[in-house]
């Protein structure tokens, strides 16, 4: 069986700058993989290349064996790869539940006239989606806030909602862009637990880009380290911690370790 | 936080994502007042006031079309051109092929929708101000093209003597009769908006308008959503054009110039860009104003400018953003 996500020879150059060079890694189904690296290492670019917001110069991205390289983000999502944003990205004027419903819209295949005249198929689909949303609300711990406007939630909850919206698209692989950025110690520990629950409940494969080393070491099973656009190491948290190259390039700066 | 958790609503039943609040006394009252206002022109004798009422209805329809686009986060400065496409197509098919009014009006609406679809497919890659600028240019292009195509369109002289609308043998040849037709179309367009914004498509429109990056990241194509709104909204404009031509009996390129388009945008800003009530309130207020300011034609644009600045400063959601109207719309305020 093909891995859930296969990245092969992915490169991106901006003019003369090689932002990402020949990046290759696999993520097995149900695994949690962390992509780390110092500032400017090309993590965000790699993230954008995989999720479709930028087109790679060369290389390929495969989702469960299917080539999704260079597809626009909305198509990538429909193939089962969803992403979250670094800053809390929600529809602040809509309720939590509406936010999740909007996340699930791409799973409604009823054409517009059918929606307007509320055909049986459309109503059944809505009822199914409603059930899915209820489950997402429960799992993400947002159920008590379902009718609150997203913009009124605390920052930690907004970030959680961002993950929940991604979940509502029913992905097989979820890409998280610095999910712990801006969270305090306790919140990010909670987030780590949430991510593990998600994998259990939904059989999700997770790939995340993160600065927060404690979270990465705690949650990830494998880690890929990027430095100046190149992969310099891949392995378990233990191996990465003891890899002299990584220590020199990255962990050597103690500021990062506790960022 | 604890208090809120206890008053959380019970689990949804699939319908509550679509619900727009119950019919409380306020909403019933609003509905009755609204029905009264709609009926008033039927009892008026002054042709001038009935004429104003007709114009309000036509503007409601055009502004409703633009509202869809504005909620996807885009703005068009060429709605008048789509009104014009609808008007010319319906008049020309009516005179050259002797099509009945209903058919030529629908053809006019379809033609506007088609032109908008083609234009949108070409330029909706552009975001923000670039799209607005191109629609502005398209509006001018349309006007100039109609001027140049004199053998067909009559050029600057326009087309006069357009017969009044007639549907299934019923002639809408009096002001009051036409008011009924225009009001029916305006109400239908509002009903369409209300229905639209309860569907998944309506939610996608709001999603694209409120957070395009997030929408894209959840499988909603912002471009296709905007294209949908632009196409359908321009269809509304085209239908209005067909009505307008049959009502006034005369069209010329100047009937569809940019200041008409800007007028529609102003209606939407004053009424409310995010509310279904916006087109209604905006048209109701902005349509009679030029008539009241007839004595001050020179200074009327200054008033508009000041009014726009005040609205944008103090009521960015337009008059529909006032508490009263938000409650009528079903929001818990």
């Amino acid at each position: 069986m093909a891995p859930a996500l296969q990245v092969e020879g992915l490169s991106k150059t901006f003019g003369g700058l090689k932002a990402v060079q020949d990046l290759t890694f696999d993520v097995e189904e149900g695994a949690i993989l962390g992509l780390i690296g110092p500032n400017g290492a090309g993590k965000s670019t790699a993230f954008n290349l995989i999720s479709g917001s930028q087109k790679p110069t060369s290389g390929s991205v495969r989702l469960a064996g299917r080539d999704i390289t260079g597809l626009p983000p909305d198509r990538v999502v429909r193939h089962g790869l969803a992403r979250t944003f670094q800053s809390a990205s929600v529809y602040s004027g809509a309720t939590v539940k509406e936010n999740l419903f909007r996340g699930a819209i791409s799973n409604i295949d009823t054409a517009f006239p059918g929606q307007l005249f509320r055909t049986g198929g459309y109503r059944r689909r809505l009822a199914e989606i409603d059930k899915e949303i209820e489950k997402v609300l429960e799992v993400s711990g947002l159920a008590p806030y379902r009718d609150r406007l997203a913009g009124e939630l605390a920052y930690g909850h907004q970030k959680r909602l961002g993950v929940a919206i991604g979940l509502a698209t029913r992905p097989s692989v979820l890409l998280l862009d610095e999910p712990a950025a801006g969270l305090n110690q306790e919140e990010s520990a909670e987030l780590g637990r949430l991510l593990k629950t998600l994998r259990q409940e939904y059989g999700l494969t997770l790939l995340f880009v993160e600065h927060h080393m404690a979270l990465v070491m705690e949650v990830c099973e494998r880690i890929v380290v990027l430095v100046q656009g190149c992969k310099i190491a891949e392995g378990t948290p233990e191996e990465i911690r003891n890899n002299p190259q990584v220590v020199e390039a990255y962990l050597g700066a103690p500021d990062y370790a506790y960022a | 936080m604890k208090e809120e958790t206890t008053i959380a609503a019970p689990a949804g039943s699939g319908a509550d994502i679509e619900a727009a609040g119950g019919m409380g006394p306020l909403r019933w009252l609003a509905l009755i007042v609204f029905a009264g206002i709609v009926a008033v022109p039927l009892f008026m004798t002054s042709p001038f006031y009935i004429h104003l009422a007709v114009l309000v209805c036509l503007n409601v329809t055009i502004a409703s079309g633009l509202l869809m686009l504005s909620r996807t986060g885009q703005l068009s400065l060429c709605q008048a051109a789509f009104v014009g496409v609808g008007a010319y197509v319906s008049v020309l098919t009516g005179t050259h092929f002797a099509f009945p009014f209903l058919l030529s009006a629908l053809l006019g609406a379809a033609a506007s929708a088609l032109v908008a679809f083609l234009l949108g497919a070409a330029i909706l890659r552009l975001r923000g101000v670039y799209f607005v600028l191109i629609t502005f240019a398209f509006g001018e292009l349309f006007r100039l093209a109609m001027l140049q195509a004199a053998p067909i369109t009559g050029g600057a002289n326009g087309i006069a003597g357009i017969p009044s609308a007639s549907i299934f043998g019923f002639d809408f040849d009096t002001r009051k009769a036409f008011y009924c037709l225009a009001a029916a179309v305006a109400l239908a367009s509002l009903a369409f908006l209300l229905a639209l914004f309860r569907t998944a498509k309506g939610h996608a429109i709001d999603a694209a308008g409120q957070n395009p990056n997030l929408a894209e990241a959840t499988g909603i194509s912002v471009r296709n959503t905007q294209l949908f709104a632009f196409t359908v909204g321009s269809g509304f404009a085209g239908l209005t054009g067909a009505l307008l031509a049959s009502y006034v009996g005369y069209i010329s390129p100047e009937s569809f110039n940019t200041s008409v388009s800007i007028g529609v945008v102003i209606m939407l800003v004053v009424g409310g860009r995010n509310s279904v009530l916006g087109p209604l309130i905006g048209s109701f207020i902005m349509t009679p104003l030029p008539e009241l300011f007839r004595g001050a034609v020179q200074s009327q644009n200054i008033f508009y400018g000041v009014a726009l600045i005040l609205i944008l400063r103090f009521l960015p959601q337009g008059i529909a953003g006032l508490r009263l109207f938000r409650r009528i719309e079903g929001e818990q305020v």
Side-chain angles (χ1 to χ4, degrees):
Chain A
M1 211 180 115
L5 183 69
Q6 259 176 309
V7 174
E8 218 176 289
L10 206 60
S11 303
K12 177 76 179 176
T13 52
F14 298 104
L17 177 77
K18 291 176 178 162
V20 174
Q21 277 182 71
D22 203 23
L23 178 63
T24 300
F25 64 86
D26 289 354
V27 193
E28 294 303 325
E29 197 181 317
I32 302 184
L33 184 130
L35 189 59
I36 63 169
N39 281 332
K43 299 186 301 288
S44 291
T45 308
F47 192 94
N48 289 338
L49 296 178
I50 297 170
S51 66
S53 16
Q54 290 179 347
K55 279 193 169 60
T57 314
S58 63
S60 71
V61 180
R62 287 170 183 281
L63 193 65
R66 190 189 285 160
D67 194 354
I68 57 161
T69 320
L71 289 181
D74 62 287
R75 297 275 304 283
V76 169
V77 179
R78 284 160 191 263
H79 282 108
L81 186 145
R83 66 162 292 179
T84 69
F85 291 86
Q86 190 170 343
S87 55
S89 191
V90 297
Y91 304 106
S92 44
T95 65
V96 168
K97 191 162 177 191
E98 281 168 339
N99 269 270
L100 296 179
F101 180 73
R102 289 176 186 183
I105 283 179
S106 66
N107 293 320
I108 297 176
D109 39 21
T110 316
F112 175 64
Q115 297 182 9
L116 200 60
F117 295 107
R118 306 180 50 71
T119 58
Y122 176 58
R123 286 200 305 252
R124 272 193 298 281
R125 199 71 202 82
L126 283 184
E128 281 166 31
I129 283 178
D130 198 64
K131 267 196 210 115
E132 286 167 24
I133 290 177
E134 287 305 322
K135 186 173 172 198
V136 173
L137 280 169
E138 288 305 324
V139 173
S140 63
L142 289 167
Y145 311 104
R146 72 175 78 225
D147 293 320
R148 294 275 291 274
L149 292 183
E152 292 172 356
L153 297 181
Y155 188 73
H157 282 115
Q158 288 196 22
K159 290 211 74 161
R160 196 171 265 257
L161 178 57
V163 175
I165 292 173
L167 213 54
T169 66
R170 288 200 302 185
S172 55
V173 179
L174 187 60
L175 262 59
L176 301 132
D177 194 0
E178 301 203 19
L183 299 187
N184 62 32
Q185 211 57 264
E186 189 189 337
E187 284 170 325
S188 59
E190 236 174 81
L191 184 84
R193 282 195 292 277
L194 173 65
L195 295 181
K196 284 184 166 169
T197 319
L198 292 188
R199 175 173 59 168
Q200 240 167 27
E201 288 285 322
Y202 292 92
L204 272 182
T205 306
L206 298 172
L207 166 65
F208 68 101
V209 167
E210 189 50 79
H211 263 317
H212 195 289
M213 288 313 287
L215 182 71
V216 172
M217 292 296 172
E218 148 80 16
V219 178
C220 294
E221 284 133 10
R222 289 190 76 75
I223 295 175
V224 169
V225 187
L226 272 186
V227 173
Q228 294 187 346
C230 298
K231 180 169 99 171
I232 61 161
E234 179 177 353
T236 62
E238 203 51 41
E239 287 164 6
I240 294 299
R241 217 191 299 261
N242 300 324
N243 183 318
Q245 258 181 305
V246 176
V247 173
E248 185 198 331
Y250 194 147
L251 298 180
D255 287 354
Y256 284 124
Y258 304 101
Chain B
M1 287 283 158
K2 281 263 161 54
E3 286 85 36
E4 274 89 6
T5 61
T6 53
I7 55 162
S13 59
D16 71 337
I17 201 79
E18 304 200 307
M23 280 301 285
L26 179 70
R27 302 187 83 190
W28 278 112
L29 183 68
L31 199 62
I32 291 166
V33 170
F34 177 62
I37 293 174
V38 172
V40 161
L42 297 175
F43 303 102
M44 287 193 299
T45 47
S46 155
F48 175 65
Y49 287 121
I50 303 174
H51 173 69
L52 276 186
V54 167
L55 293 186
V56 168
C57 291
L58 296 179
N59 282 333
V60 166
T61 314
I62 304 174
S64 298
L66 189 61
L67 177 85
M68 275 183 261
L69 183 68
S70 115
R71 276 172 77 152
T72 66
Q74 275 297 6
L75 185 64
S76 147
L77 277 184
C78 65
Q79 278 326 88
F82 292 119
V83 177
V85 170
Y88 275 101
V89 168
S90 72
V91 168
L92 292 175
T93 54
T95 51
H96 287 284
F97 307 111
F99 284 167
F101 174 75
L102 191 60
L103 179 60
S104 47
L106 290 178
L107 279 176
S112 290
L114 179 68
V115 173
F117 178 81
L118 295 176
L119 182 68
I123 65 171
L124 270 172
R125 279 165 227 282
L126 307 172
R127 279 196 181 171
V129 73
Y130 298 103
F131 177 82
V132 178
L133 286 177
I134 296 218
T135 57
F136 175 80
F138 177 78
E140 279 300 288
L141 183 77
F142 171 77
R143 191 178 63 84
L144 294 173
M146 292 302 105
L147 276 175
Q148 291 302 313
I152 308 168
T153 63
N157 292 328
I159 304 173
I162 300 165
S164 58
S166 163
I167 297 176
F168 300 128
F170 188 87
D171 286 328
F172 296 92
D173 48 0
T174 65
R175 282 210 162 84
K176 268 186 196 175
F178 190 83
Y179 170 75
C180 294
L181 179 62
V185 172
L187 290 176
S189 66
L190 289 174
F192 176 82
L193 285 189
L194 284 173
L196 167 71
F197 286 113
R198 287 180 199 192
T199 64
K201 194 72 172 179
H203 278 275
I205 285 177
D206 281 335
Q210 289 165 18
N211 194 338
N213 289 332
L214 180 57
E216 288 275 344
T218 55
I220 297 169
S221 164
V222 171
R223 185 164 167 267
N224 290 350
T225 307
Q226 290 175 338
L227 190 57
F228 169 85
F230 192 44
T231 304
V232 176
S234 301
F236 277 32
L239 182 64
T240 316
L243 289 171
L244 183 72
S246 78
Y247 173 64
V248 181
Y250 169 75
I251 53 172
S252 80
E254 288 310 319
S255 326
F256 311 109
N257 63 26
T258 305
S259 66
V260 178
S261 295
I262 293 177
V264 182
V265 174
I266 294 178
M267 279 173 209
L268 215 51
V269 171
V270 169
R273 285 164 292 167
N274 292 313
S275 161
V276 173
L277 294 175
L280 192 64
I281 299 170
S283 312
F284 193 74
I285 292 175
M286 296 311 289
T287 310
L289 274 191
E291 309 298 336
L292 299 180
F293 283 122
R294 269 285 152 85
V297 176
Q298 301 298 324
S299 45
Q300 128 186 351
N301 283 329
I302 300 177
F303 283 114
Y304 284 167
V306 172
L308 263 188
I309 291 171
L310 289 178
I311 292 255
L312 283 173
R313 172 65 184 81
F314 295 106
L315 269 181
Q317 296 304 317
I319 292 171
L322 290 173
R323 215 181 162 87
L324 172 69
F325 290 110
R326 270 159 55 200
R327 282 178 58 189
I328 289 173
E329 240 204 311
E331 213 178 295
Q332 313 291 330
V333 187

